[in-house]
Amino acid sequence: SDLDRSVAFYGELGPFEEIARADAVAVLGGTSPASIMLILRETRSIRQTRSGPQTLGLRSVTFNVGSLEELDRIEAVLRTHDFFTARRSIADGTSELLRGRDPDNMPLSFVCYAEGKEPGADYYRTITDMVYSLDT
């Protein structure tokens, strides 16, 4: 709902530099083709909030981070803005999952996978069981 606010938040949250901006759209990321890219668009309607768990469209964004230190840094940013939701270990330590929200209440997830542990069927069953909890 506020492009400047979202650009500042995502710039603090991750390695997202503002690459381009035109009118109500900003492109964040790195200039490398291997970089993650976010495209943010400011809504200009009266109704700027998500309509709940039955809304069509994107449910959540999950970022794979490379280390627990990075996960800790992201958690600190989320807590600073009061956007932290939860943190937990999944499937006997296969990964550590951090959940939060962005300034427009979009659910965000950050995951760090443990070295030497491959996610198996149990891991993905846990993820599917969590889908509805992402909106809470």
Side-chain angles (χ1 to χ4, degrees), residues 40-54:
L40 303 176
R41 183 178 61 102
E42 186 172 70
T43 59
R44 295 192 174 156
S45 66
I46 296 170
R47 189 168 177 231
Q48 297 175 346
T49 59
R50 295 177 341 108
S51 300
Q54 300 307 316

Side-chain angles (χ1 to χ4, degrees), residues 119-132:
D122 288 341
Y123 175 82
Y124 292 104
R125 271 193 288 282
T126 300
I127 297 299
T128 60
D129 289 345
M130 291 177 55
V131 167
Y132 293 106

Side-chain angles (χ1 to χ4, degrees), residues 112-124:
C112 179
Y113 291 96
E115 288 188 39
K117 288 194 173 188
E118 291 292 322
D122 288 341
Y123 175 82
Y124 292 104

